[in-house]
Amino acid sequence: MTSFGGAASPGMVDWNLAVTTATRLVRPGPDVSRDEARAVVAELRRHAKASEEHVRGFTRMGTDEARDTPVLVVDRPGWVRANVAGFREILKPLLEKMQQRRGNTPGNAVLGAVGGKVTGVELGMLLSFLSSRVLGQYETFAPTTRDLPAAPNGGGRLLLVAPNIVHVERELDVEPHDFRLWVCLHEETHRTQFTAVPWLRDHLEGEIQSFLAETDVDPMTFLERVRDAVQSLVGGRPEGEEDNGGRSFVELVQTPAQREILGRLTAVMSLLEGHADYVMDGVGPSVVPTVSEIREKFQQRRAKGASRLDLALRKLLGLDAKLRQYRDGERFVRAVVDQVGVDGFNRVWTSPNTLPTKTEIAKPADWVARVHRKTES
């Protein structure tokens, strides 16, 4: 990967309960002493700082604004709190819409309060699962607070989840210093993308809001879609209907308009993730001595998942699509750079119109033909 309403819709989601549930269920991190933990935090901060120049030089992108973007080394509950704040902000319009649809009919206040607690628990359970898997994240939607500082211009902040980084480096049995720098190179690329491309954040938010605006807030319609999705996933689809093509539960409950928007979002996220992987591997050999070993072991880990339960959850939540974004996006970036060089590739950041489509991610030559032919004619 990567909000609901505040005072305007207090009963739709119990955000405090979401945080409480997630932090109660989150698995403990690896055993480290207090001194070891301090050393990890200090090293991650140093690597994040060093990564700025490595990434800027390799990508030929970057502005001084990146240096004003905070780097926050957090634990798993800290990651949860940051993401709840972001979800709450970005999903606020949807909850307000649901609040208006619900109205003030008798019994709705009680049902809303109960529903808000149920949703809060469900969100907390999901975040507890994800909080042990994310190594880093450029968080851009949460409002600025004392605990979540951001750049002066209202930008985001770079989160590095220290216990997860330590857990993975031990699991893979790789050189810790090299692995930490390797992770920072990937996450720093995301920070560079958003700080060097001023319109990117607003474009993504606009697409997300368009996706949410298409949400059918009628409970019966939504439940009907959920029922059909569940039937498809368990093989109980009606006779003669087409298979779902391997789509996740999340995809199956979307409207056709949402799938169209999701296609555009998938293309952008594939670009961002693939670019970060490309940069990480491009810079790696010169500054990370064991980069080949790290990359091979990490790719194996990505592909197989941790357990059968992990694979099931990845399918249910659509996280397999995230893995495809890394692979497809990295192939797109590499193919374009091979054809037109780094500066030619960087035309992708000119405007939303020069972003690749989902089809172009799979066919990089089509993007080159469209963008370069247009700009050179």
Side-chain angles (χ1 to χ4, degrees), residues 135-148:
L135 302 181
Q137 173 188 358
Y138 186 76
E139 203 295 313
T140 186
F141 295 119
T144 302
T145 65
R146 185 184 65 180
D147 295 328
L148 277 177

Side-chain angles (χ1 to χ4, degrees), residues 64-355:
D64 288 337
E65 291 180 9
R67 294 189 174 95
D68 295 328
T69 305
V71 176
L72 307 179
V73 182
V74 299
D75 58 9
R76 290 168 179 174
W79 180 87
V80 167
R81 288 190 292 269
N83 277 267
V84 166
F87 291 157
R88 184 170 187 166
E89 184 69 17
I90 199 69
L91 293 172
K92 185 184 298 182
L94 174 61
L95 288 199
E96 290 175 346
K97 180 180 177 182
M98 293 176 70
Q99 180 81 4
Q100 292 169 1
R101 174 70 68 91
R102 192 176 68 188
N104 297 314
T105 55
N108 272 342
V110 174
L111 290 175
V114 173
K117 291 188 180 302
V118 170
T119 306
V121 169
E122 290 173 342
L123 177 61
M125 293 172 65
L126 172 61
L127 289 174
S128 71
F129 170 74
L130 295 175
S131 68
S132 62
R133 319 195 70 72
V134 177
L135 302 181
Q137 173 188 358
Y138 186 76
E139 203 295 313
T140 186
F141 295 119
T144 302
T145 65
R146 185 184 65 180
D147 295 328
L148 277 177
N153 63 356
R157 69 283 296 166
L158 182 62
L159 306 177
L160 297 171
V161 190
N164 295 349
I165 294 172
V166 172
H167 171 78
V168 173
E169 70 191 27
R170 290 180 179 179
E171 179 185 323
L172 298 181
D173 190 25
V174 293
E175 164 56 44
H177 305 293
D178 286 2
F179 183 75
R180 294 166 195 175
L181 176 55
W182 189 71
V183 170
C184 286
L185 289 170
H186 181 102
E187 302 308 332
E188 177 59 35
T189 304
H190 287 317
R191 180 163 70 157
T192 297
Q193 291 163 346
F194 280 91
T195 54
V197 186
W199 53 263
L200 183 58
R201 179 194 180 279
D202 289 341
H203 173 71
L204 274 178
E205 183 174 13
E207 290 282 56
I208 292 170
Q209 293 303 336
S210 296
F211 180 89
L212 295 176
E214 291 293 332
T215 299
D216 194 328
V217 294
D218 177 70
M220 295 308 297
T221 301
F222 184 76
L223 287 174
E224 181 74 14
R225 198 171 296 136
V226 169
R227 183 187 64 99
D228 292 343
V230 171
Q231 285 182 344
S232 295
L233 286 172
V234 300
R237 56 192 171 88
E239 185 74 23
E241 283 194 11
E242 292 297 322
D243 192 4
N244 64 65
R247 293 202 302 267
S248 70
F249 176 84
V250 174
E251 293 172 299
L252 286 166
V253 297
Q254 294 160 3
T255 66
Q258 285 177 315
R259 291 193 191 107
E260 182 178 338
I261 298 168
L262 185 66
R264 297 196 297 268
L265 280 169
T266 297
V268 176
M269 298 311 298
S270 295
L271 170 68
L272 298 180
E273 296 294 356
H275 184 230
D277 265 13
Y278 175 79
V279 171
M280 181 170 60
D281 288 344
V283 175
S286 63
V287 297
V288 182
T290 59
V291 65
S292 297
E293 178 191 358
I294 291 173
R295 182 64 160 160
E296 181 180 357
K297 289 183 175 180
F298 195 75
Q299 287 287 64
Q300 291 173 355
R301 182 181 185 274
R302 267 184 184 171
K304 70 180 182 180
S307 65
R308 184 171 296 180
L309 174 61
D310 180 71
L311 291 171
L313 286 169
R314 276 178 17 185
K315 176 62 181 175
L316 180 66
L317 300 172
L319 299 182
D320 281 341
K322 178 79 167 177
L323 301 181
R324 290 195 297 272
Q325 286 172 12
Y326 286 103
R327 295 192 298 267
D328 297 346
E330 196 272 342
R331 281 195 292 265
F332 170 83
V333 175
R334 188 172 299 280
V336 171
V337 172
D338 286 346
Q339 255 188 283
V340 296
V342 173
D343 292 331
F345 165 78
N346 280 342
R347 291 188 185 182
V348 78
W349 311 116
T350 304
S351 75
N353 293 329
T354 56
L355 291 172

